[in-house]
Amino acid sequence: MLAWGLHFAAVYSLQGLGCARGWGDAATRLAMGVATALALAAVGWIGLHAWRRLRAHAARADGAFAARLVAILSLLAAVAIGFTALPMFLLLPCE
């Protein structure tokens, strides 16, 4: 969820910065797209490690709960990043 929060702050900061400095719509979208790709990569990496830990500790109850929780939260964070990035693809940044 921290990756989603950082993505949320970065995308909307880049949108304001790009419009204020006159970067243009293409450059602003590119910067926001890079931030989105980095956030999805971070969430995917965290989720993959949680999934591997879940499979490794599936028989033990102590490590399985935390790994399952992290995997589910990673999926939720990926969906939240998608919803945060959706206006970036549907609207012009500086309107």
Side-chain angles (χ1 to χ4, degrees), residues 37-64:
L38 289 173
L40 285 174
V43 167
W45 184 76
I46 292 167
L48 179 65
H49 284 285
W51 179 257
R52 287 181 181 167
R53 185 175 186 116
L54 179 64
R55 293 191 60 177
H57 298 293
R60 297 185 338 175
D62 59 346

Side-chain angles (χ1 to χ4, degrees), residues 34-88:
V34 168
T36 300
L38 289 173
L40 285 174
V43 167
W45 184 76
I46 292 167
L48 179 65
H49 284 285
W51 179 257
R52 287 181 181 167
R53 185 175 186 116
L54 179 64
R55 293 191 60 177
H57 298 293
R60 297 185 338 175
D62 59 346
F65 175 75
R68 185 174 292 122
L69 182 66
V70 170
I72 291 170
L73 284 175
S74 295
L75 182 62
L76 180 64
V79 170
I81 289 169
F83 277 117
T84 303
L86 191 63
M88 176 178 60

Side-chain angles (χ1 to χ4, degrees), residues 6-43:
L6 291 174
H7 171 262
F8 187 84
V11 165
Y12 286 105
S13 296
L14 285 170
Q15 188 267 338
L17 186 65
C19 292
R21 300 237 171 139
W23 289 353
D25 291 337
T28 305
R29 280 189 177 183
L30 178 65
M32 292 189 302
V34 168
T36 300
L38 289 173
L40 285 174
V43 167

